[in-house]
């Protein structure tokens, strides 16, 4: 009995919270406080000694609460619960996904270092890398999802920057094309560029697949990043982010977070604690709905192509192999190309009745958007083409609604394309007459 290990979904209601410290409240209260009272001066001294690294934390010594920029119960309990899914040693929570990402990039890169990143990346990350990091003298280089290790190494050697490589930053599956990257290969690549005195770090933005369906630490990634705004928050009512990894790396991340002051507040922490209780059932229902929607779209006469991991087969070769090796579910993000161009895509988007026209993803409600003119509007036309972000591409984030309502809504919006086309044709022919 005593060696029974509870599953993460069973621990989301209680892990790390002690009711006796909060008047017996079954749920963790919101500790809406900026500072914490020390029992006496000796205790205050002891807390600061540990916080400033003047000495190691004692074996049975509880890390004391000092000030909410450093630590807060809602944040600490949330961080402890987040570690369970990825089996990480430690976690740091931020006020947004972008603050988690930018803090990690600042902490582990310095002028003269080379950052290698997969392309396409989330727009905010791509901007931070190309516009901000480069201002601080960090060199950056992108690679495409389809490139093999030897191709990437050849590119690195051609640039003569291989020995400067400090980090490989990856997003898989890629947004919005769902192209997958082999995390085992990325680790191998990082190791091949490491030396006895320098480990090339692997950082993975796992927002599309976490916390349930892909675990980069299993493939020896060093850092896992999340926009907790997406599946983790899951209700489109909070912006937050997280970073997971070893105790030693997260200590560095938390130290920079203390001085940038971009930790999440107690209210954000509490909202995410509440969200985590239903994370598994939400994500599973979303993926189940997404598979049905993707299969429906694949057979629809108005649809040219569907990009969804759950539709990959052996015929897709390497992409299928990586997906089967690395992911335990195809997820809830479905992209598809409508027959036609921007005009047809917009007719579809403008006629949806239940699915909302909005960016973001991973929430209880289904969302639709047009990557070429919305999330990926900032990418030059040629690059967009290369990445497969075409004028007729639509990205769906599937929610927990009744799947028949989703199919009805998508079907009636697709139907409008014909009706409007027929109207246009009849207008044209009547003006001809
Ligand atoms: C949304 C998102 C981010 C940015 O997160 P914010 O919480 O909006 O700051 C980063 N990466 C991916 C993959 C995202 O979807």
């Amino acid at each position: 009995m005593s060696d029974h290990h509870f599953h993460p979904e069973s621990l989301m209601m209680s892990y790390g919270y002690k009711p006796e410290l909060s008047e017996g409240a079954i749920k963790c209260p919101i500790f809406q406080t900026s500072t914490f009272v020390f029992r006496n001066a000796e205790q205050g001294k002891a807390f600061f000694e540990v916080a400033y690294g003047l000495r190691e934390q004692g074996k049975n010594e509880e890390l004391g609460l000092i000030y909410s920029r450093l630590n807060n119960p809602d944040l600490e309990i949330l961080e402890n619960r987040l570690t369970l899914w990825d089996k990480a040693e430690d976690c740091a929570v931020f006020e947004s996904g972008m603050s988690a990402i930018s803090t990690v990039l600042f902490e582990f890169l310095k002028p003269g270092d080379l950052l290698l990143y997969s392309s396409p990346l989330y727009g905010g990350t791509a901007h931070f890398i190309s516009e901000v990091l480069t201002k601080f003298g960090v060199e950056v280089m992108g690679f495409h999802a389809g490139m093999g290790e030897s191709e990437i190494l050849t590119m690195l050697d051609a640039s003569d920057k291989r020995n400067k490589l400090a980090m490989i930053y990856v997003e898989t599956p890629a947004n919005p094309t769902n192209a997958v990257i082999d995390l085992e290969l990325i680790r191998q690549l990082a190791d091949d560029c490491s030396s006895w005195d320098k480990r090339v770090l692997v950082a993975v933005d796992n927002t599309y697949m976490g916390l349930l369906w892909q675990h980069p630490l299993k493939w020896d990634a060093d850092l896992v990043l999340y926009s907790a705004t997406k599946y983790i928050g899951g209700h489109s009512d909070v912006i937050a982010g997280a970073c997971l990894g070893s105790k030693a790396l997260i200590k560095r991340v938390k130290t920079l977070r203390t001085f940038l002051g971009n930790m999440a507040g107690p209210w954000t922490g509490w909202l995410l604690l509440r969200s985590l209780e239903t994370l598994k059932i939400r994500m599973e229902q979303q993926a189940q709905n997404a598979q049905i929607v993707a299969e429906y779209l694949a057979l629809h006469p108005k649809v040219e192509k569907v990009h969804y991991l759950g539709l990959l087969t052996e015929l897709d070769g390497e992409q299928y192999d990586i997906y089967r090796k690395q992911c335990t579910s195809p997820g809830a993000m479905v992209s598809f190309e409508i027959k036609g161009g921007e005009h047809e895509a917009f007719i579809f988007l403008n006629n949806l009745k239940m699915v909302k026209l909005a960016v973001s993803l991973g929430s209880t409600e289904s969302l639709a958007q047009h990557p070429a003119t919305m999330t990926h509007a900032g990418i030059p036309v040629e690059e967009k083409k290369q990445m497969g972000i075409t004028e007729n591409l639509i990205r769906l984030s599937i929610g927990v609604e009744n799947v028949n309502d989703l199919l009805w809504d998508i079907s009636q919006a697709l139907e409008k394309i014909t009706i409007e086309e027929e109207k246009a044709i009849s207008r044209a022919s009547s003006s001809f007459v």
Side-chain angles (χ1 to χ4, degrees):
M1 199 46 209
S2 59
D3 62 357
H4 179 78
H5 289 287
F6 290 110
H7 294 82
E9 63 267 33
S10 304
L11 293 170
M12 286 304 108
M13 280 63 82
S14 60
Y15 187 71
Y17 171 64
K18 295 178 184 149
E20 64 272 22
L21 296 180
S22 297
E23 310 273 5
I26 188 160
K27 286 291 134 176
C28 179
I30 308 170
F31 287 86
Q32 193 69 46
T33 185
S34 59
T35 194
F36 297 86
V37 180
F38 305 134
R39 215 169 288 144
N40 49 45
E42 287 75 13
Q43 188 187 47
K45 178 183 174 185
F47 288 178
F48 268 95
E49 282 170 347
V50 175
Y52 275 100
L54 302 177
R55 64 170 174 85
E56 283 296 308
Q57 189 176 347
K59 251 205 167 69
N60 297 317
E61 188 179 8
E62 291 260 342
L63 195 65
L65 294 159
I66 297 175
Y67 183 69
S68 283
R69 179 154 48 74
L70 279 62
N71 48 14
N72 175 286
D74 294 292
L75 223 56
E76 290 191 346
I77 293 168
L78 170 65
E79 288 169 344
N80 290 340
R81 289 187 191 172
L82 285 172
T83 60
L84 297 176
W85 300 92
D86 277 304
K87 297 191 168 63
E89 280 178 20
D90 208 353
C91 170
V93 173
F94 291 82
E95 198 56 48
S96 71
M98 277 315 302
S99 56
I101 293 164
S102 52
T103 302
V104 159
L105 293 174
F106 268 148
E107 175 57 30
F108 297 104
L109 295 168
K110 60 182 188 313
D113 280 348
L114 174 69
L115 170 71
L116 183 69
Y117 65 93
S118 67
S119 178
L121 282 182
Y122 176 73
T125 310
H127 180 92
F128 187 82
I129 288 174
S130 65
E131 305 299 319
V132 183
L133 281 185
T134 52
K135 258 198 329 207
F136 289 88
V138 175
E139 304 201 40
V140 302
M141 186 185 288
F143 70 94
H144 291 285
M147 285 169 83
E149 190 189 1
S150 61
E151 225 177 322
I152 299 173
L153 282 175
T154 307
M155 184 178 75
L156 277 172
D157 288 335
S159 71
D160 214 21
K161 288 176 191 158
R162 180 167 166 173
N163 61 340
K164 292 180 169 179
L165 186 65
M167 180 191 279
I168 309 180
Y169 185 98
V170 175
E171 219 175 280
T172 176
N175 167 16
T177 55
N178 277 337
V180 286
I181 296 170
D182 188 344
L183 291 176
E184 196 176 11
L185 180 139
I186 295 297
R187 176 75 266 165
Q188 189 57 51
L189 181 66
D191 287 347
D192 290 346
C193 296
S194 297
S195 52
W196 66 271
D197 62 343
K198 185 186 79 176
R199 176 177 168 90
V200 174
L201 295 178
V202 173
V204 181
D205 182 335
N206 201 37
T207 301
Y208 254 50
M209 281 285 150
L211 302 167
L212 249 61
W213 301 322
Q214 178 173 271
H215 300 291
L217 296 179
K218 216 174 102 180
W219 306 103
D220 284 331
D222 298 287
L223 296 154
V224 184
L225 291 148
Y226 288 107
S227 167
T229 311
K230 315 296 167 55
Y231 289 106
I232 298 174
H235 294 73
S236 300
D237 56 7
V238 63
I239 300 273
C243 174
L244 293 101
S246 68
K247 269 200 168 16
L249 292 184
I250 297 300
K251 190 172 177 188
R252 287 180 57 180
V253 173
K254 280 188 177 170
T255 301
L256 183 56
R257 184 184 72 175
T258 291
F259 297 105
L260 291 175
N262 54 359
M263 71 300 153
W267 174 226
T268 296
W270 186 89
L271 278 171
L272 293 180
L273 283 176
R274 182 167 178 146
S275 289
L276 279 181
E277 300 193 5
T278 54
L279 178 86
K280 186 160 187 262
I281 55 170
R282 280 189 282 113
M283 288 183 77
E284 284 178 347
Q285 185 64 51
Q286 287 176 257
Q288 200 178 315
N289 284 354
Q291 180 74 38
I292 297 169
V293 167
E295 284 169 12
Y296 172 81
L297 286 169
L299 295 174
H300 200 284
K302 297 244 166 296
V303 174
E304 202 153 285
K305 191 166 182 2
V306 182
H307 305 271
Y308 181 62
L309 296 179
L311 295 182
L312 292 177
T313 67
E314 270 114 348
L315 298 176
D316 294 292
E318 198 178 39
Q319 286 286 300
Y320 176 77
D321 297 337
I322 299 170
Y323 155 62
R324 292 301 300 240
K325 178 171 80 168
Q326 209 162 277
C327 312
T328 57
S329 161
M333 296 301 292
V334 181
S335 293
F336 69 100
E337 292 165 42
I338 229 164
K339 280 189 182 149
E342 182 184 295
H343 175 68
E344 285 73 17
F346 279 18
I347 294 175
F348 172 77
L349 291 171
N350 289 338
N351 281 288
L352 288 166
K353 292 193 190 317
M354 182 180 75
V355 177
K356 296 287 182 287
L357 174 53
V359 298
S360 198
L361 62 104
S363 188
T364 45
E365 74 277 298
S366 295
L367 303 175
Q369 66 110 0
H370 187 244
T373 60
M374 295 170 194
T375 47
H376 297 70
I379 300 171
V381 177
E382 265 317 300
E383 274 182 58
K384 268 192 277 204
K385 226 182 243 164
Q386 220 175 6
M387 293 171 182
I389 302 169
T390 49
E391 299 272 297
N392 60 344
L393 186 75
I394 288 178
R395 189 188 79 181
L396 299 173
S397 169
I398 301 298
V400 300
E401 300 93 343
N402 184 301
V403 76
N404 291 320
D405 292 335
L406 283 168
L407 295 182
W408 176 85
D409 197 16
I410 289 167
S411 141
Q412 64 81 28
L414 283 169
E415 217 43 56
K416 293 290 192 314
I417 297 171
T418 328
I419 295 166
E420 295 213 4
E421 269 170 5
E422 278 167 0
K423 264 195 224 152
I425 291 165
S426 76
R427 261 200 307 276
S429 57
S430 65
S431 66
F432 187 72
V433 172

